[in-house]
Amino acid sequence: MLKVLIVEDYPDEADALREALERYAQRHDLDLRITWSEAAQALATGSRTFDLVFLDIELPGMSGMDAATLMRSYDSSTPIIFTTSLQQYAARSYEVDAAGFIVKPVTYPKLEMCMDKVVGRLRASASRRLVFNVAGGMRVLDVNDIRYVELQRHDLVFHLGGAEPLKLRGTIREVLERAGGEGPLVQISSGCLVNMDFIRLIKGSDIQMADGTLLALSRSRKKEVLDTFSSYLGKAF
């Protein structure tokens, strides 16, 4: 089941979006639980509650863009699809890693295009868990929470965003094997993996991450990384 939140202050537009979602769910054999809120306060809980959020930008009180920024402070991975009548907000939607942008009125073809991409990513990410043996037990990491991984001697340093880096014993190859194919991780050098969801710029031999960190892209891997990243963007957006 996918828990979907619609944040929309006009009931008629919320109903139209709900009907389009229900039509999509029926056609694609999805089980959706849809919740509607007229205001963005539903996103101010500080915890992950929904699997997918449709967010109007022009809202009373807190705007949709401000709500998305707040949401990203505690939830970096739940997909956000903006709905608005103002096309000029499209560029800003990428500041909060929006998964899509629908210009009103919402129609089924527009919704279907966004949903195909988002549902594919949600299904793929559902099984992406990395398990490591640690003293006295196991440590489980969600691939979606990983920004990048660096190899330091015989240890892997996981940068998780908003938390202290985590050091675990292992190899780059082991992480790639456990993450499986067609995931968000790509190897950019012999000692570094990055999550493509957090890449903001590739220029020359530098990769800039969402937090501004610059990572070195090896010359031998540049073509493969660019090809992989382009393919991944095509699937994601």
Side-chain angles (χ1 to χ4, degrees):
M1 174 182 289
L2 290 180
K3 293 177 289 183
V4 180
L5 173 66
I6 296 173
V7 183
E8 169 60 66
D9 56 328
Y10 287 98
D12 289 347
E13 301 209 10
D15 287 342
L17 179 52
R18 178 189 291 271
E19 289 175 7
L21 280 168
E22 290 174 346
R23 179 180 172 188
Y24 183 90
Q26 185 175 17
R27 286 191 171 190
H28 296 269
D29 194 26
L30 281 179
D31 185 10
L32 301 183
R33 178 185 294 171
I34 302 172
T35 302
W36 171 48
S37 175
E38 294 180 275
Q41 275 70 23
L43 299 176
T45 61
S47 62
R48 294 180 62 173
T49 307
F50 300 94
D51 301 307
L52 173 61
V53 175
F54 285 86
L55 183 57
D56 187 18
I57 291 181
E58 297 178 287
L59 293 167
M62 182 185 296
S63 74
M65 193 63 68
D66 288 341
T69 301
L70 173 62
M71 177 179 164
R72 285 294 180 243
S73 69
Y74 63 84
D75 179 354
S76 63
S77 59
T78 298
I80 298 171
I81 297 176
F82 283 113
T83 60
T84 182
S85 57
L86 300 177
Q87 178 69 45
Q88 61 263 36
Y89 283 110
R92 286 197 61 201
S93 68
Y94 293 100
E95 296 176 8
V96 290
D97 297 316
F101 187 94
I102 300 177
V103 177
K104 295 180 181 179
V106 175
T107 62
Y108 183 77
K110 293 178 185 177
L111 176 89
E112 185 175 42
M113 185 179 299
C114 278
M115 285 295 289
D116 282 347
K117 297 169 184 176
V118 169
V119 169
R121 293 180 68 188
L122 287 172
R123 283 174 169 166
S125 66
S127 61
R128 291 194 193 124
R129 301 291 187 273
L130 303 181
V131 180
F132 294 88
N133 293 321
V134 295
M138 295 187 300
R139 178 64 188 258
V140 181
L141 294 179
D142 188 326
V143 172
N144 293 325
D145 293 333
I146 298 171
R147 270 53 170 182
Y148 60 99
V149 186
E150 294 179 294
L151 182 64
Q152 294 183 2
R153 295 183 181 273
H154 300 293
D155 293 320
L156 296 169
V157 180
F158 291 83
H159 297 264
L160 305 173
E164 288 296 317
L166 176 66
K167 183 178 289 189
L168 297 169
R169 182 73 63 166
T171 67
I172 293 292
R173 182 178 178 179
E174 288 173 347
V175 175
L176 287 173
E177 289 176 350
R178 294 177 188 181
E182 297 190 8
L185 299 182
V186 63
Q187 185 171 0
I188 65 169
S189 68
S190 60
C192 187
L193 295 174
V194 301
N195 186 329
M196 291 182 284
D197 287 331
F198 297 96
I199 292 177
R200 291 297 170 268
L201 177 67
I202 300 178
K203 186 175 182 180
S205 60
D206 290 328
I207 292 181
Q208 182 178 328
M209 305 301 288
D211 63 358
T213 299
L214 289 178
L215 300 172
L217 171 61
S218 71
R219 182 180 300 177
S220 62
R221 293 188 176 274
K222 185 171 184 178
K223 184 180 186 304
E224 180 183 352
V225 170
L226 290 174
D227 289 345
T228 302
F229 187 47
S230 296
S231 176
Y232 185 76
L233 285 177
K235 294 175 183 177
F237 297 100

